[in-house]
Amino acid sequence: MVDILLGLQWGDEGKGKIVDVLAPQYEVVARFQGGPNAGHTLEFDGNKHVLHQIPSGIFRNDCTNIIGNGVVLDPVIFKKEIEGLSNYKIDFAKNLFISKKTAVILPTHRLLDAAYEQDKGDQKIGSTLKGIGPTYSDKVARLGLRLGDLVADNFREKYEKIKAQHIRLLGFYEFEYELEEAEEIFFNAVEFIKKFNLVDSEYTVNEALKAGQKVLAEGAQGSLLDIDFGSYPYVTSSSTTAAGVCAGLGVAPRKIGEVFGIFKAYCTRVGSGPFPTELENEAGEKIRAEGREFGATTGRPRRCGWLDLPALKYTIMLNGVTQLVMMKADVLNIFDEIEVCTHYRLPDGSLTDQMPYDIVDMKVEPVYTTLKGWGDTLTGVRKFENAPQALKDYVAYLEKELEVPIAFVSTGPDREALIMRG
Ligand code: GDP
Ligand code: IMO
Ligand code: MG
């Protein structure tokens, strides 16, 4: 079966850590969407590592890692990532496979991303500027290059054609750019990536399934950044929900098993866009400081706020979540009282626990309930029975509201800092 682990909020829920923890139970870990806009942090044996495009099963020797066709891949960032892993004994020839159908991020895609953002003025999405939107646009417009094109004889011809088109587009914007050096680095990275296993990964995945192996699909971003269901237009350009797995890996819907939905015990968002429970005050700053809430890809401070149940109920529904994973419970140690948003109050005064069509132009006011904080440090707590009563009550409250069991509670960045329930 293919199990899925994906973020239920606006990204950075801690997916990298939990994929790394679960990976020993799987023969295959696969990324199905997104690209180097992701930053997945893993901590173990005193090391901290941030992965952008390489799946988070890469530190497990027995695990095959696949970058699926639904991903957009930047060869330049790929090369840097591989070089950054040189201290670990990783056998990439054995453990890493990349779909030939993966869309390639070109240097001009990054420029277009920046030009479009600049043009948006105060409506900026807050993109990571990795070229994600323009690359997916070209894929859908049937103009883009795929990884398989890089090894074809006519690659240079195809590249020049799309580059010329991008340069025409850039001409519409007042945007200054340099391309020559970026191209040199790109072509160097293209030669580098050719040495890796470029495959038709839909076969790799399905053959693994046929052999009875277990596959874990690793989401990037979060469901509230989904192209269809996120707070459009303040979203990313891919299907970040469970539905994206079938198209992004080439697996049939009936092969999907467990869906792990991961969320922080509070909320964060990086970049622009609506965030109903955002705390633009001291409490928000305390969460940022305690949770070290700074982007793993861009270093930007993350916006922080209380847990949002209407949003969580929405993303649990969209993904068919079967098990929840609650992250960063340790961060809320600092509060005597914790707020949880149960409903939104709409401009006409009515209450809803559903996600309205538009929360960009229509302001919703969060309605909160107050729960007791646990105050206690969670360091070293591995069994739920040893957790502070207030944390047990918080978990019980959420399980009742969300109607899905919380299988894990994470209590720190390290691989070991985890309470596994039942
Ligand atoms: P991802 O994109 O979903 O993989 O998450 P990120 O790596 O961008 O952000 C999660 C951050 O929280 C990283 O710095 C992790 O090391 C850290 N982290 C993960 N789980 C926990 C936890 O339970 N407690 C604390 N304090 N930090 C955590
Ligand atoms: P992981 O996988 C958090 C946000 C950006 C921006 C919007 C669009 O680490 O959880 P894009 O670069 O895709 O055009 O940006 O989406 N964003 C993320 N926020 N975590 C991520 O990935 C993100 N990837 C993109 O900040 O608001
Ligand atoms: Mg991240």
Side-chain angles (χ1 to χ4, degrees), residues 10-13 15 37-40 113 125-130 132-133 220-221 225 235-237 270-272 300:
W10 284 283
D12 302 330
E13 295 89 353
K15 298 175 290 293
N37 47 351
H40 295 180
D113 213 357
I125 288 166
S127 163
T128 60
L129 302 181
K130 303 292 179 194
I132 307 294
Q221 291 76 56
L225 289 170
V235 293
T236 190
S237 301
V270 61
S272 339
R300 293 177 291 179

Side-chain angles (χ1 to χ4, degrees), residues 5 7 11-19 37-43 48-51 56 218-221 262 264 266 268 290-297 302 326-331 409-414 417-418:
L5 183 137
D12 302 330
E13 295 89 353
K15 298 175 290 293
K17 164 173 169 166
I18 299 299
V19 171
N37 47 351
H40 295 180
T41 314
L42 287 75
E43 284 196 38
K48 174 176 164 168
H49 206 89
V50 181
L51 296 168
S56 301
E218 171 180 2
Q221 291 76 56
I262 176 167
K264 283 177 186 167
Y266 48 94
T268 64
E290 187 69 17
R292 298 204 197 104
E293 294 295 357
F294 296 89
T297 296
R302 294 177 182 146
M326 185 170 90
M327 306 302 287
K328 300 194 112 165
D330 53 307
V331 174
V409 177
S410 177
T411 59
D414 193 87
L418 195 67

Side-chain angles (χ1 to χ4, degrees), residues 19 58 116 144 159 205 255 305 318 339 403:
V19 171
I58 200 69
Y116 295 158
Y159 172 82
V205 175
K255 298 275 166 63
L318 293 173
E339 308 277 333
E403 300 178 62

Side-chain angles (χ1 to χ4, degrees), residues 209-231:
L209 291 173
K210 209 168 176 185
Q213 298 187 351
K214 285 184 74 189
V215 177
L216 181 63
E218 171 180 2
Q221 291 76 56
S223 299
L224 297 172
L225 289 170
D226 181 81
I227 183 72
D228 284 276
F229 300 107
S231 41

Side-chain angles (χ1 to χ4, degrees), residues 30 126 341 383:
C341 167
K383 290 199 175 123

